[in-house]
Amino acid sequence: MTDPVPTTCMRCAVGCGHLQIGVDAGYGVDSVRGDVSHPVNRGLACQRGISESADPDGEWLTRPLVREDGDLHPTTWDVALDRAVAGLRAASGGGPDGVAVLGSGQQTNEAAYALGKLARGGLGTRYYDANTTLCMASAVTAYYDAFGSDAPPCTYDDIDDAVTHVVWGANPAVAHPVMFRWIEQRAREDDARLIVVDPVETKTAGVADAHVASDPGTDLALARAVLARVVERDEVDEEFVAGATTGFESLRESLPSVESAAATAGLDPAVVDDLAAALTDPTLIYWGMGVNQSVQGTDTAAALIDLCLATGNLGPGTGPFSLTGQANSMGTRICSSKGSWPGQRPFDDPAERRLLAEAWDVPVDRLPDDPGPGPVGTVEAIEDGPVEAVYAVATNPVAGMPDAGAVRERLSDAFLVVQDAFHTETTALADVVLPAATWGESSGTTTNMERRVSRVRPATALPPDVRTDLDTITTLGERLAPGLFPATEPEAVFDEFAALTAGTPADCSGISYDRLDDAGAVRWPAPDARSEGGYRYRDGDGNGDGDGDEGRGEDAGSDDAGWAFETPSGRARFSSAVDGALAEPVDDDYPLTLTTAREADGYNTGVRSRGDVTDPAPLARAHPDTLAEAGLDGDATVDSDATADGDDTAEGDATATVASRRGAVPVRPEADPAVPRGLVWLPIHHPRTNELTLPETDPKSDEPNLKQCAVRLAPAASGTGESTDAAARDAAAADPEVIGDD
């Protein structure tokens, strides 16, 4: 048997250390377990992370493919690369924006940095996204607005010190099970509590002390109602607000009445009272895609930060803590040149552009003037803009983007190069498919949601016709822009990236492969080889001076530390958000609200977990009364915990159709009292779900409104899976187990 190889799980953004053992002969990973020496998880691991690392489902890509006469055919790497380079070069001939690039939070830091360097410095395109705009852009924008810098101020160490844990628009019991183990253990103690804000009674809500079932799309109204009650109760931390913030008086004057805002959220004011009272204790507010993926996502995230600032919940054991979706979304945020240059260098600063151009040895006027639109605007530019070719790496936009039918049509009209480890709905449309290495086959680093950088190491050799993302990106990059990649090996690329972050808010210049080999993981900012970031923005603590906290539950810094935010004034800024209308209200034609959420096997459009064949009809959970009103069987019930865990045992043909103004999808309805009346729940990463969702985006972050739209539910015609509703036919044409001990 081969020796265990320490690495980092790339399933979600908790960043657990794993030990992987490669097979004795051939290619592949034989077994995976938690690494007790890793400073993040200390041996804990979830079953999903283990099984999908060792034995993922899905159709593996093992050879390059090119499209001939309408079909994809195996070919050699030379032919595939020639075809890809020719198509991308032809599209960029009319200008740099002829090529769009789509990346992913599933790449290593090194691959994400190289892809951004190719997109911005090699091609010069503004049509580039690192996939963070689909999940974290609203939180990112809110952090910048409040603190002048991205990323949560708090870390995992603060979980044990918090008394109140508010989980808002997230289901970490399913999405981040190891982290949720820590939250739940602390909340079980006599002096602590867990409160969940979510329209649906999720698995997380099922173990909470209180579940606040607000109406879908009303999170901003509820957050402002809570702040209004805090003000009325005279529970604002006036000393902190006066000494460390700005803008509170303007916000105070804009607050609604508690009664009106509570009514907007569909709640009794007494529920608002309870939330406000809970914030008087040291509080962590966690939030996820239920907040971010909204046309009001940035404003809602900002309102949650406002709650922390107004109540003095900033400091060890308190604060706003966004729950990152993809495994390396944090890494792509600091290294991929999407919304900022490496290290959070401002994109629109001419001096920073000159610095990057000099470092990359490219003309400064090649770098785009602005970061461009998010993925929705990028794909729309195929139809009404300059984009003629798309290079997609480790992402599946045909399934993962809103209004997926329109996305499919637009990508079908472009020259499409797709790089992935598995066959997806997007590779099926490609002109060139480049097979990529997956987690147990790649070398590099990743960054978890609390800013810890750790190593990713291969436990097995690569199959003969498979290459790593970094290898393929740099190879294409050298052919498209000769001289762009003097460094192509992972360690050298990391060193190049880290050097570019020196002196920035996200300073990684003190991190090296040797240091990671010794320490296991290092949290940025780390401006030298001894320092490690702790709680952010505390003057003299946790900002790279070597005094950051070292482990979960240890003191994160003295209570009398001052504050040093990355804003021009050095103060944190309150928001000016006001509640707005829903992106798509219900009406007589579409009387129900669709909400989408993650199943345990639903990361990254499920390509590692749903097997070679996907049921064309997703499971649609709805209240028994909702089903009965739609003329469907409301007697059958579903175990919502089992469903949330991905244990979908329903079989048979679709018996209903869910239709929106963008399309109609056959579904298998299940009665579930955990879903409120008037709501239909669909899994976000089933490849059919996003045919229904709305392409409207947050005006500040460009993040799509994936969580709420108007739909109708109707019986399907017998044996066809099609709705008997003529309008629906027209629309159609248009807990995983945690393993190990603390």
Side-chain angles (χ1 to χ4, degrees), residues 455-475:
R455 286 294 311 278
V456 175
R457 299 178 178 87
T460 180
L462 283 173
D465 280 323
V466 173
R467 297 187 179 184
T468 67
D469 280 334
L470 180 61
D471 181 11
T472 302
I473 292 164
T474 56
T475 299

Side-chain angles (χ1 to χ4, degrees), residues 125-400:
T125 183
R126 65 187 295 270
Y127 291 100
Y128 162 59
D129 194 79
N131 213 50
T132 59
T133 310
L134 287 175
C135 63
M136 298 308 299
S138 294
V140 169
T141 306
Y143 284 135
Y144 271 113
D145 289 347
F147 304 134
S149 178
D150 175 28
C154 34
T155 73
Y156 297 158
D157 304 299
D158 298 300
I159 294 173
D160 281 343
D161 294 328
V163 173
T164 299
H165 299 261
V166 180
V167 176
W168 200 306
N171 189 11
V174 165
H176 303 98
V178 170
M179 182 182 183
F180 185 67
R181 164 76 73 89
W182 304 326
I183 296 171
E184 185 182 17
Q185 285 179 336
R186 175 65 180 111
R188 284 176 179 171
E189 297 177 17
D190 291 341
D191 67 331
R193 63 176 74 88
L194 171 62
I195 301 170
V196 173
V197 180
D198 198 296
V200 176
E201 187 180 348
T202 63
K203 186 172 184 180
T204 304
V207 299
D209 297 285
H211 173 212
V212 178
S214 53
D215 288 346
T218 64
D219 299 284
L220 179 54
L222 176 57
R224 284 171 56 79
V226 175
L227 183 53
R229 185 65 89 203
V230 167
V231 171
E232 288 181 3
R233 292 162 57 109
D234 197 25
E235 290 175 346
V236 174
D237 187 332
E238 299 287 357
E239 182 178 357
F240 175 79
V241 168
T245 74
T246 184
F248 182 66
E249 288 307 316
S250 296
L251 176 59
R252 189 201 302 257
E253 293 173 1
S254 76
L255 291 174
S257 72
V258 172
E259 290 71 22
S260 65
T264 298
L267 297 170
D268 189 286
V271 176
V272 176
D273 293 343
D274 292 341
L275 269 171
L279 299 180
T280 60
D281 290 322
T283 299
L284 284 170
I285 299 180
Y286 315 84
W287 76 88
M289 300 309 106
V291 167
N292 293 338
Q293 291 175 334
S294 163
V295 292
Q296 298 186 130
T298 298
D299 287 345
T300 306
L304 298 181
I305 296 172
D306 289 342
L307 284 174
C308 293
L309 295 176
T311 57
N313 276 300
L314 205 69
T318 68
F321 203 158
S322 56
L323 301 177
T324 303
Q326 291 201 42
N328 197 30
S329 182
M330 178 65 73
T332 63
R333 286 150 68 177
I334 64 168
C335 71
S336 70
S337 300
K338 164 50 191 166
S340 61
W341 300 114
Q344 297 185 3
R345 296 182 182 276
F347 205 94
D348 57 358
D349 187 328
E352 300 291 7
R353 294 177 76 246
R354 289 194 297 270
L355 183 149
L356 261 293
E358 181 178 348
W360 289 348
D361 194 22
V362 299
V364 69
D365 59 2
R366 181 182 295 173
L367 303 180
D369 294 329
D370 65 76
V376 171
T378 293
V379 173
E380 287 176 347
I382 298 171
E383 179 178 345
D384 56 15
V387 173
E388 297 179 1
V390 177
Y391 176 31
V393 181
T395 187
N396 186 15
V398 172

Side-chain angles (χ1 to χ4, degrees), residues 561-641:
W563 295 95
F565 298 100
E566 300 287 346
T567 60
S569 67
R571 292 169 172 259
R573 297 177 291 213
F574 280 94
S575 77
S576 57
V578 295
D579 186 38
L582 293 175
E584 190 176 61
V586 299
D587 58 20
D588 291 342
D589 291 330
Y590 298 93
L592 304 175
T593 297
L594 172 68
T595 190
T596 63
R598 190 185 307 281
E599 292 177 310
D601 62 349
Y603 271 95
N604 313 118
T605 69
V607 297
R608 299 181 70 96
S609 55
R610 52 183 161 93
D612 296 346
V613 179
T614 302
D615 192 315
L619 186 75
R621 296 163 56 197
H623 193 277
D625 292 349
T626 303
L627 294 182
E629 290 168 3
L632 296 162
D633 183 5
D635 294 332
T637 58
V638 62
D639 180 347
S640 60
D641 281 356

